[in-house]
Amino acid sequence: MHFAQYYLDCLSQASYLIGDKTTGRAVLVDPRRDIDDYLHDAEAAGLRIELVIETHIHADFLSGHLELARATGATIAFGEAAETGFPVRRLRDGERISLGGDDGQGVSLTVLATPGHTLESICVVLREHPDDDVPFGVLTGDTLFVGDVGRPDLLSAAGHTPQDMAARLHRSLHTKLLTLPDATRVFPAHGAGSACGRSLSSETSSTIGDQRRFNYALQPMPVDDFIRLVTAGQPATPGYFAHDAALNRDGHPLLEPGPPPALTLDEALAARDRQGAVLLDCRPLAAYTRAHLTGSLHTSLDTRFAEYAGSVVTPGTPIVLLADPGTEQEARLRLARIGYDHVLGHLPDPAAVLDRRPELSSSSRRIRYEELGLGEARLEGVAEAEGGRTGGAESGDAIPTGSLPTDSGPTDSGPTDSGPTDSGPGDIQLIDVRNPAEYEAGALPGARNLPLAGLAHRIAELDPSRRVVLYCRSGNRSVIAAALLEARGFAEVCDVIGGYEAVGAGTQ
């Protein structure tokens, strides 16, 4: 057997090349859109990619099944329940795929229908020889992760409640995956950082036995407890997920390689003013906060660039990249991996442009927590994150009175489901842009949880005439959020330097 895992850190995404060295026949599972690595490695190993298997209709990245089909002539395959806008091979539960010869020997794959994350989800059991008692491994897609299980609430399962999908997931885990021998290796589609689960490990493989023992969601419990457990505290869903799920289901344009064209400053500004383009600053955080084009959005290439861009840029919006020299092609590729293809060009050397035209630039307003004048931080868990509570767990404490320094920006406040609401004294809106589970584990007093992933759709809940102060875990997501609010017309915005971690360290 030829087996290779391709792990993409920036999207926490794994794909797999499996082949039979004797026959040269191979399968690619859950490929990303840029396929050159797969093609190179397959050729070097003497393999022909005949089949592209998708474990489900992905929502967090744009898959490369169409690109691979064009490049290799491979057939595209999904689980039997998949509904797609292009021809596919439908894989039945229990179906066996042989990569060996006519004698029936050699590498084989067995399909397991495992609905729960989505209706069409499948897992693929790998055997080096058809009669092996212990499989080489199982590709678990988004059904089972190392340390977690797939979330049951994504839009791909429209028409089915999270509780219904969680019940299906429980059956799939216990009647399919947990019946495999403990020594069977587990190879998931995602790792730590992915929004497809809440507690994913940084390990990219495990075994069924280890997951049976250590995975919180696989511990013995009533089905109703499992359902409550896996439907609570999931990360906020980035805005691009529904867009990518639709493209992966219905079809999408093929990836066009190459760098984006260079634009002059006048061309970049004209694209913004006449075509509605977003100016997306991809430089490191320190460079952006020091000086950036007024009204530009930000997410750095040294973070989860594509995911964060997909949280603050509406799908289909034209984009002009503001990237350090030599990084513009990487930025374009990483946007293409989530289906953001409408990149008009890039502004070469933004720092030099800003030096020449300082009247077009702004610097980010950042403050330390103690400058807020809100009193001593009480880092407490939040009992009712969605219940309008403004204090820590069980406390209900209001924000102590205080005032912002005149050179600082606004703060955040607690969650709400309707229009702008009061969230503290002095017209301060204190906003925690972390995910719900992070917020419930502990938050600044009076902070309101508006996760970055959904902030663009909830801006109407904030009052642009009042001060906003943002914070996250370490100060990265809060800068991204501040840029979004400033671009939407909020005049007084700032973020807490170092985020919740820095405040916690200061109270030790």
Side-chain angles (χ1 to χ4, degrees):
M1 178 187 287
H2 176 96
F3 178 85
Q5 181 189 68
Y6 300 81
Y7 193 78
L8 196 60
D9 285 311
C10 61
L11 286 173
S12 305
Q13 186 264 333
S15 49
Y16 299 89
L17 177 63
I18 304 101
D20 188 306
K21 295 178 182 178
T22 302
T23 63
R25 302 174 64 196
V27 169
L28 213 304
V29 179
D30 290 339
R32 62 179 185 257
R33 217 175 159 199
D34 45 311
I35 60 174
D36 287 351
D37 287 349
Y38 310 134
L39 299 179
H40 176 272
D41 291 355
E43 182 180 10
L47 299 174
R48 303 181 309 278
I49 300 173
E50 299 180 354
L51 188 65
V52 180
I53 296 176
E54 297 287 5
T55 57
H56 61 291
I57 295 172
H58 301 281
D60 58 307
F61 72 102
L62 204 55
S63 183
H65 47 260
L66 296 177
E67 283 81 2
L68 276 166
R70 179 183 67 172
T72 67
T75 299
I76 300 169
F78 279 83
E80 194 170 21
E83 297 180 1
T84 63
F86 46 89
V88 298
R89 175 177 169 182
R90 298 185 182 279
L91 302 176
R92 303 181 308 278
D93 183 38
E95 182 173 347
R96 181 173 168 270
I97 301 167
S98 175
L99 300 181
D102 295 337
D103 59 1
Q105 297 302 303
V107 175
S108 68
L109 295 73
T110 303
V111 177
L112 303 179
T114 53
H117 176 64
T118 64
L119 291 173
E120 76 286 346
S121 289
I122 61 172
C123 296
V124 182
V125 180
L126 310 178
R127 287 183 169 85
E128 193 163 8
H129 310 97
D131 55 355
D132 288 345
D133 292 332
V134 178
F136 172 86
V138 57
L139 309 182
T140 56
D142 283 19
T143 298
L144 174 64
F145 301 123
V146 180
D148 204 352
V149 295
R151 61 188 299 173
D153 62 334
L154 290 184
L155 298 180
S156 298
H160 295 266
T161 67
Q163 290 72 25
D164 171 56
M165 296 302 290
R168 292 170 185 254
L169 179 62
H170 185 272
R171 287 194 294 274
S172 294
L173 292 165
H174 288 271
T175 66
K176 299 290 181 66
L177 291 178
L178 292 180
T179 65
L180 294 170
D182 278 358
T184 305
R185 284 172 280 193
V186 171
F187 299 103
H190 295 293
S194 170
C196 293
R198 68 179 189 189
S199 301
L200 284 71
S201 169
S202 59
E203 298 296 324
T204 59
S205 66
S206 182
T207 65
I208 289 291
D210 280 351
Q211 291 311 294
R212 192 192 311 275
R213 287 187 290 273
F214 304 122
N215 190 315
Y216 77 95
L218 300 184
Q219 302 312 300
M221 70 183 80
V223 175
D224 287 347
D225 289 353
F226 173 87
I227 292 172
R228 282 192 292 270
L229 187 64
V230 301
T231 55
Q234 292 290 353
T237 305
Y240 74 92
F241 269 33
H243 172 73
D244 279 20
L247 292 178
N248 282 325
R249 180 188 64 238
D250 300 331
H252 56 77
L254 298 178
L255 176 66
E256 294 294 336
L263 303 178
T264 65
L265 175 61
D266 287 343
E267 289 171 331
L269 296 178
R272 179 194 65 188
D273 298 337
R274 299 172 189 170
Q275 300 182 55
V278 163
L279 305 181
L280 183 60
D281 196 316
C282 316
R283 298 175 299 148
L285 182 145
Y288 172 83
T289 56
R290 186 181 311 115
H292 55 265
L293 277 174
T294 301
S296 60
L297 298 181
H298 170 69
T299 173
S300 174
L301 280 170
D302 58 11
T303 64
R304 300 183 67 81
F305 171 71
E307 179 182 321
Y308 293 154
S311 296
V312 297
V313 179
T314 303
T317 303
I319 296 171
V320 173
L321 297 171
L322 312 180
D324 283 335
T327 65
E328 62 276 357
Q329 185 166 354
E330 174 70 11
R332 181 183 184 182
L333 173 60
R334 288 170 67 174
L335 289 173
R337 286 172 176 158
I338 63 165
Y340 279 44
D341 290 346
H342 201 181
V343 176
L344 301 179
H346 76 102
L347 181 66
D349 201 356
V353 172
L354 292 167
D355 285 343
R356 292 195 301 270
R357 299 290 303 275
E359 75 279 8
L360 298 177
S361 73
S362 299
S363 58
S364 299
R365 287 182 282 185
R366 314 195 72 198
I367 61 172
R368 302 188 185 282
Y369 177 78
E370 53 269 24
E371 294 179 69
L372 290 175
L374 300 182
E376 183 179 353
R378 296 180 300 282
L379 306 184
E380 303 171 353
V382 178
E384 296 176 35
E386 294 302 325
R389 295 284 291 274
T390 56
E394 317 256 347
S395 71
D397 292 341
I399 304 178
T401 57
S403 60
L404 283 172
T406 56
D407 61 346
S408 64
T411 55
D412 14 8
S413 65
T416 176
D417 295 323
S418 55
T421 59
D422 291 336
S423 55
D427 283 335
I428 293 171
Q429 301 174 91
L430 180 63
I431 307 301
D432 184 329
V433 298
R434 298 174 301 160
N435 281 316
E438 296 176 276
Y439 174 73
E440 294 202 27
L444 298 182
R448 171 184 179 188
N449 187 218
L450 292 181
L452 175 63
L455 181 60
H457 302 289
R458 299 182 65 183
I459 284 181
E461 297 178 28
L462 299 175
D463 185 346
S465 68
R466 295 169 56 204
R467 299 167 175 173
V468 180
V469 174
L470 304 146
Y471 76 91
C472 61
R473 179 177 63 86
S474 61
N476 178 45
R477 284 172 286 178
S478 57
V479 170
I480 298 170
L484 175 65
L485 293 185
E486 289 171 352
R488 296 288 185 91
F490 283 69
E492 292 189 83
V493 182
C494 69
D495 81 299
V496 177
I497 297 171
Y500 189 77
E501 285 185 342
V503 177
T507 62
Q508 300 301 313

